[in-house]
Amino acid sequence: MQRAYAFARLPQLSNKSLKNSYAFLSKSHIGSPLASQPRCLSSHGTPAHWKTKKEISIEHKSHMDFMPVPQGSWQESYNKKQQSRNILLAVSALAFGVTYFIAYKVGGIYLHGMDYKTFSAQKTSEITDAIVSAFSFSSLKATSPEEGTGKATPPEQGDGTSADATTVKPGETDWSLLPEVPEETQYLIVGAGTAAFGAFRAIKSRDPKAKILVVGEEASVPYMRPPLSKELWFNEDRLEVEQLNFRQWNGKKRSVFYEPKEFYAEPNMLSNQENGGIALLMGKKVVKLDARKKIAWLSTGEKIKYDKCLIATGGKPRNLPVLEQAEPEVRSRTVLYRNIEDFKRLDSITQSAQTIAIVGGGFLGSELACALGKRGQKTGLKVYQIFPEKGNMGKVLPEYLSKWTTRKVEKEGVIVMTNQSVTNATFKDGKVQLSTSEGLTVDVDCVVAAIGLEPNVELARASNLELDPVNGGFLVNAELEARRDIWVAGDAACFYDIKLGRRRVEHHDHAVVSGRLAGENMTGAAKPYWHQSMFWSDLGPDVGYEAIGIVDSSLPTVAVFTKATEKDTPKAVVEESGENLRSESEMNYVQSAQNNVPVAPMDTEDYGKGVVFYLNNKKTVVGILLWNTFNKMSIARQVLRDGARNEDLYEVAKLFDIYDTLADAAQEETSSPATTPTQAAASAAS
């Protein structure tokens, strides 16, 4: 093709010249333009009418695109590959868009929203200036916080009136444009439960101008959990229950929230409060800490730089494998009881349900059983309680006292199934059918799993913090430090108790005490954990107990009991102190003189009130349980601190003043068996 094309450009030549030209073309120089080759075919010189090389190249340039392309050339292959790649790119973009949309709808991705309806082109420059000034913090001037709240307000107008939150004048900062998550804070508290509340109160008491940021996963302000399984269930005012208000045993109304929402400052205003404050960032989760750089990362991508950090992530309720691995219908009817949302859900279910099963015989399971049993007496709700122990709270109480407690729960209308475990759970005829290890089955509308807590330690794994392999939880020292400038408090802390060794405690008072201690140490107190926290449980308004130290039914016990009076009930102690939380009523109580003389327990099942001592293998008291005996916890702490031994316990029991008068003590002594005090006390031991 090329040769023919070249010859078409030649002038008419002789046959000899044509042969020479053909031979020359066959040996043409590689790389020389084809259009210029005809100029070299003759040795007679260049005719004047011939065109130059440049003219020939320009003339043929516009025609080269129309030359035929051979089939299967690189250009055809390239075009096909580009077409397939474009299709693949379009499909990938569509798949990514669909995936992103689904993740956004299910909450896996959080987008910072903007009200585009109020956005206008005319205000672009004003908003830009406001953003620049907001990030420079040059124009932020907050007023002094209100007493006890730490709540800052926007700057005041020149005439002394408060600025309208919806109106921003030129030169002023639009507070709504500040970032929701501050870039740094003085004190960072991860978790918004009781331990966090105790911590930031302690910090503010020692550092009044402290700036504290609390980050919590729940969409609510810090609240107390004990009423969720106690008093809230006995409030018959539906409106108060919906508002999460409960009636204490003395009838006084109270909210489960420690402080109202107005108590807390806005997070984006915290850095600019001259007198400090406490800000709450709700619905956020800290997923990682850099202990060296002092940076915390949120699940939404933001990071916060801190000076001091407290981890108070608490725990999450355990679930039985048989329920966790059951079919979806069973899982959807299973409640893991822990927070406000769980209470609301269970409260709603019990309004219409006919049958319900509570799996677990510990504190939570027994309290819920009594509460729902009491409700069932009015609504017809049938309540089952299933657990493997011999009696309610069998892991804590001595066997004789555990069995007595079980009879108390049964009197509330609960069908208690002891020594049985749930082995299977299926959905049949609109009910959850539970099968037990004893071959029994029960059909219920709902199952409540109340079998304890697991500490929330995901943050430890992501942040390379140590975990305790035996007790679980963050491994901390006696000062509750996990690393330099990082403390842990509450259910998630496995701390070193200078009196009882390494422990992890899951009770309200421990959250208060450890949170307070961590807060003090964050401000430089450097105190070890020595205050023995107490815990309590109420089986309704008439029976309750308080305990301290290591209270384990596997330990040997020594007890002293007597008959109770109307004053020896949870309701009576709340009426006297005005406080439903025992940890708070204890602080308000002034101990009276102990002149009464207790006697050994009677051989009777009327365990009205008394004291139970728990002993270790050295016969030293390591735990004390006060049965229907209240406001004596300071004495119990002293007994643990002094290390009372077995041979002294009958005399130690006199300190708790379980008899109202000496006459009562004398009457009990004359009617008791003729045994020595130690023998009589041992008769009640397990």
Side-chain angles (χ1 to χ4, degrees), residues 46-226:
T46 303
H49 66 276
W50 278 30
K51 299 178 179 180
T52 64
K53 292 181 180 181
K54 183 176 181 181
E55 291 174 338
I56 294 174
S57 298
I58 293 174
E59 180 181 356
H60 287 275
K61 182 177 181 180
S62 61
H63 300 284
M64 296 301 291
D65 292 340
F66 297 96
M67 295 187 69
V69 179
Q71 185 177 5
S73 68
W74 69 271
Q75 185 176 356
E76 182 179 357
S77 176
Y78 175 79
N79 291 338
K80 289 182 179 180
K81 288 183 179 180
Q82 286 297 102
Q83 185 179 10
S84 63
R85 288 170 180 169
N86 289 338
I87 294 174
L88 180 61
L89 179 62
V91 173
S92 300
L94 178 62
F96 176 79
V98 172
T99 304
Y100 195 90
F101 177 77
I102 294 175
Y104 169 70
K105 285 297 184 182
V106 301
I109 297 177
Y110 176 80
L111 299 178
H112 291 282
M114 176 182 289
D115 187 3
Y116 291 98
K117 294 181 180 180
T118 61
F119 185 84
S120 62
Q122 292 80 3
K123 295 184 178 180
T124 302
S125 60
E126 296 179 11
I127 294 178
T128 303
D129 295 338
I131 292 176
V132 172
S133 63
F135 280 96
S136 65
F137 298 104
S138 60
S139 62
L140 301 181
K141 293 182 180 180
T143 59
S144 299
E146 297 176 4
E147 180 65 23
T149 64
K151 182 74 172 181
T153 58
E156 294 183 349
Q157 302 289 341
D159 58 357
T161 59
S162 298
D164 187 355
T166 61
T167 303
V168 180
K169 294 185 178 181
E172 294 183 348
T173 300
D174 188 348
W175 295 81
S176 63
L177 294 176
L178 289 171
E180 180 187 10
V181 179
E183 295 182 356
E184 59 181 344
T185 184
Q186 182 182 6
Y187 295 95
L188 175 65
I189 299 180
V190 182
T194 298
F197 178 74
F200 69 63
R201 289 187 66 179
I203 293 173
K204 289 294 287 184
S205 66
R206 291 174 56 88
D207 185 2
K209 293 189 176 182
K211 298 175 181 178
I212 307 168
L213 177 64
V214 183
V215 182
E217 294 185 47
E218 294 188 54
S220 65
V221 299
Y223 60 90
M224 60 185 82
R225 298 187 189 276

Side-chain angles (χ1 to χ4, degrees), residues 212-364:
I212 307 168
L213 177 64
V214 183
V215 182
E217 294 185 47
E218 294 188 54
S220 65
V221 299
Y223 60 90
M224 60 185 82
R225 298 187 189 276
L228 299 183
S229 60
K230 299 179 178 71
E231 293 91 347
L232 267 174
W233 291 100
F234 294 88
N235 191 348
E236 298 181 358
D237 189 324
R238 295 304 306 169
L239 180 60
E240 290 184 356
V241 173
E242 292 175 359
Q243 296 173 347
L244 297 175
N245 295 324
F246 63 93
R247 297 280 178 175
Q248 297 181 174
W249 299 134
N250 61 356
K252 180 181 178 182
K253 185 172 75 172
R254 184 172 179 180
S255 172
V256 300
F257 300 108
Y258 290 112
E259 299 289 352
K261 188 175 181 180
E262 293 73 21
F263 172 86
Y264 303 94
E266 294 296 333
N268 54 6
M269 298 164 60
L270 180 62
S271 299
N272 309 284
Q273 298 187 72
E274 297 179 359
N275 294 323
I278 303 166
L280 177 62
L281 195 60
M282 297 185 293
K284 298 286 187 178
K285 182 178 182 179
V286 176
V287 295
K288 184 180 179 181
L289 293 176
D290 188 325
R292 184 175 63 86
K293 297 181 179 179
K294 297 185 178 182
I295 297 176
W297 280 270
L298 303 183
S299 59
T300 48
E302 299 96 335
K303 61 181 181 180
I304 305 171
K305 188 173 180 58
Y306 62 85
D307 294 334
K308 305 289 181 65
C309 178
L310 170 65
I311 300 174
T313 50
K316 56 186 176 182
R318 290 193 180 97
N319 195 4
L320 287 175
V322 67
L323 296 175
E324 191 174 12
Q325 300 169 7
E327 52 195 303
E329 289 82 1
V330 175
R331 296 199 302 269
S332 65
R333 290 166 173 79
T334 300
V335 177
L336 302 180
Y337 200 84
R338 175 64 173 167
N339 55 35
I340 286 177
E341 294 304 318
D342 298 330
F343 167 77
K344 291 180 178 179
R345 181 186 176 193
L346 186 59
D347 180 54
S348 177
I349 290 173
T350 55
Q351 297 297 324
S352 57
Q354 297 177 341
T355 54
I356 191 169
I358 300 172
V359 180
F363 303 102
L364 179 61

Side-chain angles (χ1 to χ4, degrees), residues 526-547:
K527 295 180 180 179
Y529 191 103
W530 63 267
H531 177 84
Q532 291 299 322
S533 62
M534 54 90 72
F535 60 93
W536 78 95
S537 179
D538 292 340
L539 303 179
D542 300 324
V543 176
Y545 65 85
E546 299 174 358

